[in-house]
Amino acid sequence: MQYSFSSPLAPGRRFSYNGLAPVRPRRRAGMNSKKRLVVSLTIFLAVFLVGVAGFQTLGPPGTTLLDSAYMTVITLSTIGYGEVVETAHNPALRVFNIVFIILCLCTIAYAVSSVTAFVVEGELKNILGRRKMDKEIARLEGHYIICGGDDTAATIIREMLATRKPFVVVERDKAKIEKLAALGPVLAVHGDATEDTVLEKAGIARAKGVLCVLPTDEANLFVTISARSLNPGLRIVTKSIEPGSNNKMIKAGADVVISPKNIGGMRMVSEMIRPATTTFLDMMLRESGRVLRFDEFTVPAGSRLDGRTIAESRLDEATGALLVALRKGGGKDFTFNPPKTAKLGAGDVLVFIATPEMVEELAKLA
């Protein structure tokens, strides 16, 4: 299936699923310490082969390949246990040996500086940390994937950390990943979220949802299409910058489209006409000593809550959570402040004001 859409940022130009190419970051000039280490090993191998070939070619008759390799190793390592290939009466071999020793000294100096840079600049630590993080990501299941690393993503990450939700960040800018890591223990995949292989590395097949907060509607639309094709059962929430993109996001597979402009406008009018309510919600979200949130819980099949009334379940006494609404399984309407006589069933959604600990207790109770 091919999706076609026009961008409000590029009038007259149309994009498609197969034709949209994400913008790649420019490569920084210079060579990092990891590349220098690889170059050093390559040079070492090349110098070794040159030494073996030189001693084998210029050495006296009867010089074996093992003799040439031995001479190369003791020269390259500057150990000098003793010559097994006679150079006393061989001027050509002596000249070669002088040049080869100078070449070995230069090679060793470059190799030592490369190894030092590799350790000092943190490349070794980064590689070990990356492997550990990849293993942690591979163990995740039912997690959330955050595509993007801007201020919106930072807000999402703070909430995920506060409510103890497992998540992975996908961002192609290493500087942004390092900045987000200062918020807390953040698992991240360095790469372009528009690429299927990167989403697969983030565990999209096992994920519960994806949040698309990339800087352009085109990129968010592309990730939405890719995510939906990789995991049809995924819940996708995406950011929309231009109002005209909302319908396209829904058609592409997004479950919910959020417009920061609309949210900002609603917040401003709420501050004006219902300031006390807004202050209460802010206090609930920002209270440092206690994380209190509106949260939800779905009654699973075979649960001890299935078939019991709210009074019989004693949810408030067992967990301390405040039940504010109930939506029956398969329905769309909510019953606010449901009566104690309401009977619970599998698939019912309970909306609480609760802490993460209370939600965990509720899961154990169910």
Side-chain angles (χ1 to χ4, degrees), residues 224-257:
T224 298
I225 296 171
S226 299
R228 181 59 67 202
S229 65
L230 293 171
N231 188 344
L234 202 66
R235 180 171 177 81
I236 301 175
V237 177
T238 184
K239 179 177 72 173
S240 172
I241 299 172
E242 298 296 333
S245 301
N246 290 16
N247 290 334
K248 297 181 180 68
M249 299 287 189
I250 296 296
K251 291 179 181 178
D255 294 285
V256 179
V257 179

Side-chain angles (χ1 to χ4, degrees), residues 126-292:
N126 290 339
I127 291 174
L128 296 177
R130 179 71 260 169
R131 289 179 179 176
K132 180 180 178 182
M133 187 176 294
D134 288 342
K135 290 180 181 179
E136 292 181 14
I137 293 174
R139 289 195 294 265
L140 289 179
E141 191 168 348
H143 59 288
Y144 302 91
I145 299 175
I146 304 169
C147 298
D150 60 3
D151 292 337
T152 303
T155 302
I156 294 172
I157 290 170
R158 290 189 190 96
E159 180 63 15
M160 290 287 189
L161 291 172
T163 54
R164 302 180 184 179
K165 304 296 184 183
F167 67 92
V168 176
V169 177
V170 177
E171 172 55 50
R172 66 185 184 185
D173 189 340
K174 279 189 175 182
K176 290 184 178 180
I177 292 178
E178 293 173 359
K179 184 178 179 181
L180 294 175
L183 300 175
V186 175
L187 297 178
V189 173
H190 178 229
D192 193 334
T194 62
E195 297 179 0
D196 289 358
T197 53
V198 175
L199 293 177
E200 289 170 350
K201 191 174 181 180
I204 193 168
R206 309 180 307 276
K208 187 175 182 179
V210 170
L211 297 104
C212 304
V213 289
L214 295 170
T216 65
D217 286 343
E218 290 86 355
N220 286 322
L221 179 59
F222 193 88
V223 173
T224 298
I225 296 171
S226 299
R228 181 59 67 202
S229 65
L230 293 171
N231 188 344
L234 202 66
R235 180 171 177 81
I236 301 175
V237 177
T238 184
K239 179 177 72 173
S240 172
I241 299 172
E242 298 296 333
S245 301
N246 290 16
N247 290 334
K248 297 181 180 68
M249 299 287 189
I250 296 296
K251 291 179 181 178
D255 294 285
V256 179
V257 179
I258 302 296
S259 172
K261 296 178 181 179
N262 291 341
I263 296 295
M266 287 297 296
R267 174 57 190 259
M268 291 181 70
V269 73
S270 296
E271 286 283 6
M272 179 59 68
I273 64 178
R274 54 183 81 90
T277 303
T278 306
T279 301
F280 165 73
L281 292 175
D282 277 348
M283 290 177 62
M284 184 177 70
L285 292 173
R286 299 176 184 176
E287 187 178 358
S288 59
R290 194 182 190 193
V291 179
L292 202 61

Side-chain angles (χ1 to χ4, degrees), residues 24 36 47 56 61 97 102 115 157 185 189 193 225 234 249 330:
R24 307 295 180 192
R36 285 185 60 187
V47 170
Q56 186 69 28
N97 208 11
I102 295 174
V115 172
I157 290 170
V189 173
I225 296 171
L234 202 66
M249 299 287 189

Side-chain angles (χ1 to χ4, degrees), residues 37-49:
L37 187 63
V38 173
V39 171
S40 298
L41 295 175
T42 304
I43 293 175
F44 247 110
L45 179 60
V47 170
F48 175 79
L49 294 176

